[in-house]
Amino acid sequence: EYDNALKDIKGIDVIYDVSMGDATSNNIVFWAVRNVYQDEAVRSLPEKPKVAVVFHGPVVKLLSSDRSGFDEKNVSEIDKFQATLREMKKEGVTLEVCAYALKVLDVDPATVMPELDQVGNGFISVAGYQAQGYAVVRLP
């Protein structure tokens, strides 16, 4: 199925650069993000996939326990998104959130999911992973 894309590949290292602030959209897209490292074709490669996600921009509001400003439907979607992220963390995915974005968007760092590592500038993280050879996938 992926003969062309995975030809001569030892493993997949990928960093997802995420800023999408809509929980419903993130729930749809993160099914595909998880599928990348869960897919049998990827799992059968000689090296285990390495996956990281860096959050910045409007998405950081979805990573907080503070639900003020969200209606009931959005709260349900946020809960689902956070549950997915907790599962991803258990599956070995590195999750980081930009502290600068938290500050700019007025999100209290103390309310951020404990599964996320807080980094000063998410762009430095993305650039660092890229310099390490990770493929960058941007999710605006």
Side-chain angles (χ1 to χ4, degrees):
E1 179 176 13
Y2 301 106
D3 291 344
N4 292 329
L6 299 179
K7 182 180 179 184
D8 300 326
I9 299 296
K10 291 182 182 177
I12 289 180
D13 299 345
V14 61
I15 174 72
Y16 293 93
D17 178 9
V18 182
S19 61
M20 294 188 308
D22 178 68
T24 302
S25 296
N26 277 312
N27 284 326
I28 294 167
V29 171
F30 269 75
W31 173 89
V33 168
R34 281 182 84 191
N35 182 256
V36 168
Y37 62 87
Q38 293 175 339
D39 188 277
E40 187 58 40
V42 172
R43 291 173 36 156
S44 68
L45 295 171
E47 295 178 9
K48 181 180 174 184
K50 291 188 261 180
V51 179
V53 182
V54 175
F55 298 100
H56 59 89
V59 70
V60 302
K61 291 183 177 249
L62 307 179
L63 307 173
S64 171
S65 58
D66 181 1
R67 301 294 199 270
S68 59
F70 292 105
D71 64 24
E72 188 176 321
K73 179 184 182 298
N74 281 321
V75 167
S76 174
E77 290 294 320
I78 292 168
D79 289 343
K80 181 178 173 183
F81 181 52
Q82 288 189 6
T84 296
L85 295 178
R86 282 190 286 281
E87 287 301 311
M88 290 174 69
K89 183 69 173 187
K90 288 178 191 172
E91 295 164 349
V93 174
T94 299
L95 303 171
E96 297 181 354
V97 60
C98 175
Y100 179 72
L102 294 174
K103 181 179 179 179
V104 169
L105 293 167
D106 200 30
V107 176
D108 181 354
T111 67
V112 172
M113 299 172 59
E115 292 82 3
L116 278 73
D117 298 321
Q118 295 184 28
V119 297
N121 183 334
F123 293 136
I124 293 173
S125 283
V126 172
Y129 283 107
Q130 187 174 25
Q132 293 176 50
Y134 281 63
V136 177
V137 177
R138 188 167 188 277
L139 302 174

